[in-house]
């Protein structure tokens, strides 16, 4: 009768199985760390790129609008906001006969010719501003310094005013600017800036418009949490504007600083915007 060898039936011992499990676990942990680090780095890089793109997009939008600012209309009640009057068109007016010329001493509606046609005709209710210096008596934030367009009789070649410009200073270059009658003023404002416990910025950057122009302002506007005001950026952890007016009739500079933070990753952007203040 054939005997079966016990050695041929021998399997793994418990110790051997434990050693195999331990070695497999160590290899799995090493492999996980090897794989997770590039994934984590990719996610961090992607998050940082998203923050940079958001900040860059916001700065580009602000720069585009600020380049259209009425000369000498930029003002700052606080570092967290900046306000200006945005132009929609502009040209040169006729200052003497023959033809209809700008009359600064008129108390009734006036008609003046445009030297060189405008790209589009101003709409009824739009504002006409001449020689804004941003000082008392020559400030477009004051209602009397803005003429109001009468749509009837206004074309690209000639503009009729239903409300005349009161006591302005005549422009040496005979220039005038057109402001929207519905939303001439624009404010960029940062609100709730800070960082929460999870490393996320808590602030938001808004573009505020469609509000009544105030002759003076002492503080940045405060927006409700459920506001429908257009949002340019969120997760803002730092934000400031610095306006250097320079010399009247020369270029001014608005410095924009904005920082975004999300899940510990951050992106900061700084840009100077040149503003033509020649009225």
């Amino acid at each position: 009768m054939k005997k079966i060898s016990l050695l041929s039936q021998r399997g793994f011992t418990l110790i051997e199985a434990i050693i195999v499990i331990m070695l497999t676990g160590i290899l799995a942990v090493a492999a996980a760390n090897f794989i997770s680090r590039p994934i984590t780095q990719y996610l961090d890089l992607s998050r940082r790129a998203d923050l940079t793109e958001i900040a860059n997009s916001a700065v580009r939008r602000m720069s585009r609008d600020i380049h259209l600012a009425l000369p000498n209309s930029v003002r700052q009640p606080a570092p967290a906001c900046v306000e200006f009057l945005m132009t929609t068109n502009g040209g040169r007016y006729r200052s003497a006969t023959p033809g209809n010329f700008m009359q600064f001493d008129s108390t009734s509606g006036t008609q003046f010719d445009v030297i060189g046609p405008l790209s589009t005709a101003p709409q009824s209710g739009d504002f006409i501003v001449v020689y804004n210096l941003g000082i008392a008596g020559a400030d477009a934030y004051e209602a009397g310094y803005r003429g109001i367009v009468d749509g009837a009789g206004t074309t690209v070649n000639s503009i009729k005013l239903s409300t005349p410009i009161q006591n302005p200073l005549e422009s040496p270059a005979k220039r005038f600017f057109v402001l929207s009658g519905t939303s001439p003023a624009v404010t960029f404002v940062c609100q709730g800036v800070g960082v929460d416990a999870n490393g996320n910025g808590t602030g938001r950057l808004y573009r505020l418009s469609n509000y009544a122009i105030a002759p003076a302002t002492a503080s940045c506007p405060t927006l409700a949490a459920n506001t429908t005001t257009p949002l340019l950026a969120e997760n803002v952890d730092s934000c400031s504007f610095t306006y250097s007016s320079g010399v009247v009739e020369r270029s001014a500079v608005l410095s924009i600083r904005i920082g975004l933070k999300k899940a510990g990753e951050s992106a900061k952007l700084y840009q100077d915007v040149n503003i033509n203040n020649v009225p």
Side-chain angles (χ1 to χ4, degrees), residues 9-255:
Q9 296 182 13
R10 184 179 179 184
F12 291 109
T13 66
L14 179 61
I15 294 176
E16 289 172 335
I18 292 174
I19 292 173
V20 170
I21 292 172
M22 290 179 60
L23 290 175
T24 303
I26 292 171
L27 291 175
V29 170
N33 287 334
F34 179 77
I35 295 172
S36 66
R37 284 189 178 182
I39 294 175
T40 301
Q41 291 174 352
Y42 170 78
L43 293 175
D44 291 343
L45 182 62
S46 177
R47 191 179 299 114
R48 197 177 308 124
D50 288 342
L51 293 175
T52 302
E53 175 58 28
I54 293 171
N56 190 39
S57 177
V59 169
R60 286 201 309 268
R61 173 60 190 273
M62 289 188 287
S63 299
R64 185 170 67 248
D65 286 353
I66 291 167
H67 280 139
L68 297 174
L70 177 72
N72 304 303
S73 71
V74 177
R75 62 182 185 181
Q76 248 196 306
C81 63
V82 61
E83 183 182 28
F84 58 96
L85 301 176
M86 192 164 70
T87 63
T88 59
N89 214 328
R92 296 180 64 241
Y93 59 83
R94 185 184 296 278
S95 60
T97 56
N100 297 314
F101 61 96
M102 178 77 81
Q103 301 179 54
F104 295 107
D105 56 354
S106 176
T107 57
S108 60
T110 59
Q111 185 100 20
F112 66 90
D113 295 337
V114 179
I115 306 299
L118 299 174
S119 56
T120 57
Q123 301 298 307
S124 179
D126 284 353
F127 299 113
I128 301 296
V129 177
V130 176
Y131 207 55
N132 179 58
L133 298 179
I135 59 177
D139 189 355
Y141 284 99
E142 299 173 2
Y145 208 73
R146 303 189 303 268
I148 300 179
V149 174
D150 183 349
T154 294
T155 67
V156 295
N157 296 300
S158 184
I159 296 175
K160 183 175 177 58
L161 298 177
S162 60
T163 300
I165 303 172
Q166 299 293 317
N167 303 322
L169 299 172
E170 186 171 356
S171 167
K174 318 304 180 190
R175 300 178 67 192
F176 71 91
F177 295 91
V178 182
L179 310 180
S180 168
T182 56
S183 56
V186 174
T187 295
F188 293 116
V189 57
C190 292
Q191 189 168 293
V193 173
V195 181
D196 64 17
N198 297 319
N200 299 314
T202 57
R204 292 186 169 190
L205 171 62
Y206 295 98
R207 182 187 186 275
L208 179 63
S209 61
N210 296 317
Y211 59 91
I213 301 176
T217 180
S219 62
C220 295
T222 300
L223 305 176
N226 59 348
T227 179
T228 58
T229 300
L231 178 66
L232 295 184
E234 54 187 351
N235 296 122
V236 179
D237 73 321
S238 63
C239 176
S240 66
F241 303 95
T242 305
Y243 178 62
S244 301
S245 58
V247 181
V248 175
E249 299 188 9
R250 298 293 176 87
S251 292
V253 175
L254 179 69
S255 299

